[in-house]
Amino acid sequence: MNRLRTALYGAGAFLLPLLALLAALAAPAQGHAAAGWQAVPPPAPPGLSAYVPFDATSAVARSTVQTSTTCLPCEYEHTLWTRQAGAWRSLPLPAAGVPTDVLTGTAPNDVWALGRGEWGDFGQYHWDGSRWTDRTVPDFEVLAARAVSRTDVWAVGNYRESAGDVPGAVAHWNGSAWTLTKLGEPGAWTTIRAVHVVSADDVWVVGSGGGRLYAAHYDGGSWQEVALPRLSGLSATANAVTVRDGEVWIGGTDRNIYTDGGTPRAFVLRGNGTDWRTTYVPVPAPTGDASEDRMSVQALAVHDGTVWAGLYAERAKDRGLARWNGSAWETAPAPGTTAGSEVTALYPTADGTLWANGLHYPRDYLKGYAASLAPSA
């Protein structure tokens, strides 16, 4: 191909269009991105393993490089970034080995890094534009977080004070301190995986506990558990929640080895907190092989009045998005540029833009991307 390029260039400028065409045909196929999505140029070759937008040109992000040759266990090197007016700037890590797996914030000088550290400890750290401050609640493992403002931050996960009783946990930052609330049945392992904040007196969290789906609602004064359908009756996990016009949408994965061959299926519940309807995202061209057909909902968001779902799907299916058309789910390729891209997070911003963050196959390497979808005219 290099020799062909040289020969054609020497033949004259009139052959340049032909050269471009041949180069495009010879290049690896990149036609996997969903229509209308615009990729965010990453600050480093590994791409973006996490991306949390603040507005159209600012965000906090992470790039990741695997440093181990095997995964026993996998070892990674993380770099944090802030995007300001479209330009990338590196952000120092809070300290060696501290958690960066969950990011949130409202501006480049209001960033939170939370989760589990490299040595298994848990922490929550805040960046004010010049330095990190340790705001750790001991034994609180954060799995998801949402910053509404500098004085209104929600984090969810587990409280691991003892080896036996592991309740779900929700913590709220009011600008000066965290208030932590334990959720779930005593003695049952409850995990909270997602939070959606409608207002100060309307907050939803979802996850799983005791082998079933778990959801709870905050009305501004207290938390109340919300009963959800059992679905398969064996194993179901809620990974995402959003609210559209007062209707709650909950998504995750459902598995029943007795009725569907054990294939994990992507489900979405929609309801008013009392009555629920269950729908499943269809697997394109199913093979009947549980390892090939597995799919789960990892994120939910509202864009242009429509509910979108971010999906994990096997790479052969090349599906990372689903859109509710009013009666059923329509699947579409993820905004990534390689086959098998998945969508791990969806973020709508105030200007009506929908942002997607995801990983490329193989996901173990944590090489990711970010993309934006503008609102329709």
Side-chain angles (χ1 to χ4, degrees):
M1 176 58 70
N2 289 335
R3 293 177 181 174
L4 178 59
R5 289 173 188 268
T6 303
L8 288 172
Y9 181 79
F14 68 94
L15 288 177
L16 289 178
L18 176 60
L19 173 60
L21 175 61
L22 291 173
L25 292 175
Q30 298 291 322
H32 299 282
W37 289 87
Q38 299 297 316
V40 176
L48 298 165
S49 56
Y51 186 88
V52 180
F54 306 138
D55 54 39
T57 60
S58 65
V60 61
R62 181 186 65 237
S63 59
T64 302
V65 176
Q66 182 174 333
T67 56
S68 59
T69 55
T70 62
C71 278
L72 298 171
C74 298
E75 295 178 359
Y76 302 102
E77 181 179 277
H78 303 290
T79 304
L80 294 183
W81 308 87
T82 58
R83 192 180 183 213
Q84 305 177 44
W88 290 105
R89 298 180 182 180
S90 62
L91 183 66
L93 294 174
V98 302
T100 62
D101 46 333
V102 177
L103 300 175
T104 192
T106 64
N109 62 355
D110 179 31
V111 173
W112 289 87
L114 319 94
R116 179 196 291 264
E118 293 180 7
W119 300 294
D121 53 331
F122 310 122
Q124 303 93 45
Y125 296 82
H126 181 255
W127 172 258
D128 64 3
S130 60
R131 65 187 179 93
W132 288 97
T133 302
D134 188 345
R135 301 295 189 183
T136 297
V137 176
D139 304 314
F140 178 36
E141 179 183 19
V142 178
L143 300 177
R146 172 72 171 92
V148 180
S149 70
R150 296 176 185 271
T151 60
D152 188 9
V153 182
W154 297 84
V156 300
N158 297 114
Y159 188 68
R160 295 174 176 264
E161 185 178 26
S162 64
D165 187 11
V166 180
V170 179
H172 181 249
W173 175 260
N174 64 5
S176 59
W178 290 103
T179 299
L180 185 138
T181 303
K182 300 177 184 178
L183 298 176
E185 298 178 7
W189 188 307
T190 303
T191 299
I192 309 298
R193 292 185 173 85
V195 56
H196 181 78
V197 183
V198 181
S199 64
D201 57 0
D202 189 3
V203 182
W204 285 85
V205 298
V206 298
S208 61
R212 61 184 180 86
L213 298 176
Y214 181 87
H217 179 254
Y218 180 69
D219 60 7
S222 63
W223 286 96
Q224 298 295 326
E225 182 176 344
V226 177
L228 297 177
R230 273 195 170 269
L231 301 184
S232 69
L234 289 176
S235 177
T237 298
N239 303 319
V241 58
T242 193
V243 177
R244 184 188 69 171
D245 299 330
E247 187 177 44
V248 184
W249 297 65
I250 299 172
T253 181
D254 180 31
R255 184 170 183 263
N256 189 336
I257 60 175
Y258 299 111
T259 62
D260 53 23
T263 301
R265 299 191 296 166
F267 77 85
V268 177
L269 299 175
R270 46 189 289 243
N272 57 13
T274 303
D275 298 319
W276 300 92
R277 297 181 181 180
T278 305
T279 55
Y280 287 90
V281 181
V283 176
T287 66
D289 184 336
S291 64
E292 287 290 320
D293 294 340
R294 58 178 175 164
M295 197 158 66
S296 65
V297 174
Q298 300 187 119
L300 289 168
V302 178
H303 174 67
D304 278 345
T306 298
V307 178
W308 290 71
L311 305 175
Y312 167 81
E314 273 306 299
R315 59 190 176 99
K317 305 306 176 190
D318 191 27
R319 289 294 183 271
L321 285 169
R323 180 177 181 272
W324 181 252
N325 65 13
S327 59
W329 291 99
E330 299 175 345
T331 56
T337 56
T338 66
S341 296
E342 60 177 296
V343 174
T344 56
L346 291 170
Y347 302 99
T349 48
D351 63 355
T353 302
L354 179 63
W355 300 79
N357 178 220
L359 300 176
H360 295 307
Y361 182 87
R363 71 198 310 265
D364 292 342
Y365 296 115
L366 296 186
K367 295 181 179 179
Y369 67 91
S372 64
L373 182 64
S376 60

